[in-house]
Amino acid sequence: DIQLTQSPSFLSASVGDRVTITCRASQGISSYLAWFQQKPGKAPNLLIYAASTLQSGVPSRFSGSGSGAEFTLTISSLQPEDFATYYCQQVNSYPITFGGGTKVEIK
Amino acid sequence: EVHLVESGGDLVQPGGSLRLSCTASGFTFSDHYMDWVRQAPGKGLEWVGRSRNKANSYTTEYAASVKGRFTISRDDSKNSLYLQMNSLKTDDTAVYYCIRPEVRGRNEQYFDHWGQGTLVTVSS
């Protein structure tokens, strides 16, 4: 199974900050990676797919990069509505797996 | 608009069984793969399994943690996906989400449509 390790697991930041979350895969997954945002009590929301493609309707302050085994999600200027938990997911092979999550909280 | 509604979540004793349903609308159900993902209280996301579409003979895939205990099926005539859960354990306690993924690129399925989830509690 492909393990996804996210770092950090917890992040405290201020509105306007640039935030970067890393996801490392235990083996190469090409660009078959997605990023999700989840708010309490809600289903996850797809932000980025194919490592760097912005899902329709997602603000352009979100961006993704990477390929192979190392990926990043960047929020260029953190907004109040961005405080949430973020997950990466690989769809390269079965079983599909998720990272452990990164909780972004207000400093 | 794609709409997914899960139902069937309940309190069940360890060793018991439960069947979840997901009713879909807003798209041609038989054309699409469908997935289940779960989330234990306060924990992360765990993929449970997948039903491929009619064109791929409705074949299924499962996570190791549920293989042999859970069965995914579908009834395209009812636009419905099911998750039959047997031999339930306390570790199966979670919100269960139904997902309709979207094909991007070569044939990758990205999880862009989620239901609201249904809570399964396994406890004595």
Side-chain angles (χ1 to χ4, degrees):
Chain A
D1 297 6
I2 295 173
Q3 315 299 324
L4 296 179
T5 303
Q6 283 184 238
S7 60
S9 55
F10 176 85
L11 189 160
S12 181
S14 301
V15 172
D17 284 353
R18 181 181 182 88
V19 166
T20 299
I21 298 168
T22 298
C23 178
R24 290 188 174 86
S26 58
Q27 62 190 78
I29 57 170
S30 185
S31 296
Y32 303 136
L33 187 103
W35 290 97
F36 294 87
Q37 177 192 67
Q38 188 179 32
K39 296 181 179 179
K42 300 292 187 183
N45 182 48
L46 179 65
L47 299 175
I48 302 280
Y49 64 90
S52 60
T53 304
L54 197 65
Q55 171 74 344
S56 176
V58 174
S60 59
R61 63 181 179 272
F62 291 92
S63 64
S65 64
S67 67
E70 186 153 339
F71 302 86
T72 59
L73 172 71
T74 300
I75 310 172
S76 60
S77 177
L78 200 64
Q79 298 302 300
E81 60 268 29
D82 300 337
F83 292 95
T85 301
Y86 294 84
Y87 295 93
C88 58
Q89 177 210 32
Q90 67 83 19
V91 297
N92 178 75
S93 62
Y94 295 106
I96 293 166
T97 49
F98 291 88
T102 296
K103 187 173 185 179
V104 178
E105 290 201 342
I106 302 173
K107 183 181 283 185
Chain B
E1 182 185 355
V2 173
H3 198 47
L4 303 168
V5 179
E6 301 94 337
S7 60
D10 204 348
L11 171 64
V12 60
Q13 291 190 337
S17 298
L18 200 62
R19 187 203 200 201
L20 305 184
S21 299
C22 170
T23 302
S25 60
F27 63 99
T28 304
F29 186 76
S30 61
D31 286 349
H32 288 269
Y33 289 23
M34 297 292 295
D35 290 77
W36 289 98
V37 166
R38 67 184 181 182
Q39 186 169 35
K43 303 297 184 182
L45 302 167
E46 180 186 18
W47 177 76
V48 171
R50 164 169 288 173
S51 167
R52 294 184 180 87
N53 57 8
K54 181 179 180 180
N56 288 279
S57 305
Y58 302 124
T59 53
T60 53
E61 302 284 348
Y62 296 96
S65 59
V66 306
K67 195 168 186 177
R69 300 188 299 123
F70 289 11
T71 301
I72 296 173
S73 62
R74 58 196 290 166
D75 184 340
D76 288 356
S77 69
K78 295 182 178 179
N79 288 347
S80 292
L81 179 74
Y82 305 104
L83 180 64
Q84 177 66 44
M85 303 185 292
N86 298 331
S87 303
L88 282 160
K89 307 174 183 180
T90 55
D91 286 351
D92 296 318
T93 294
V95 173
Y96 285 74
Y97 293 102
C98 167
I99 294 107
R100 195 220 75 176
E102 188 72 47
V103 176
R104 311 283 187 190
R106 187 184 57 189
N107 192 32
E108 297 78 53
Q109 304 272 343
Y110 287 101
F111 291 15
D112 64 343
H113 295 285
W114 296 61
Q116 85 288 348
T118 188
L119 177 63
V120 173
T121 303
V122 184
S123 174
S124 54

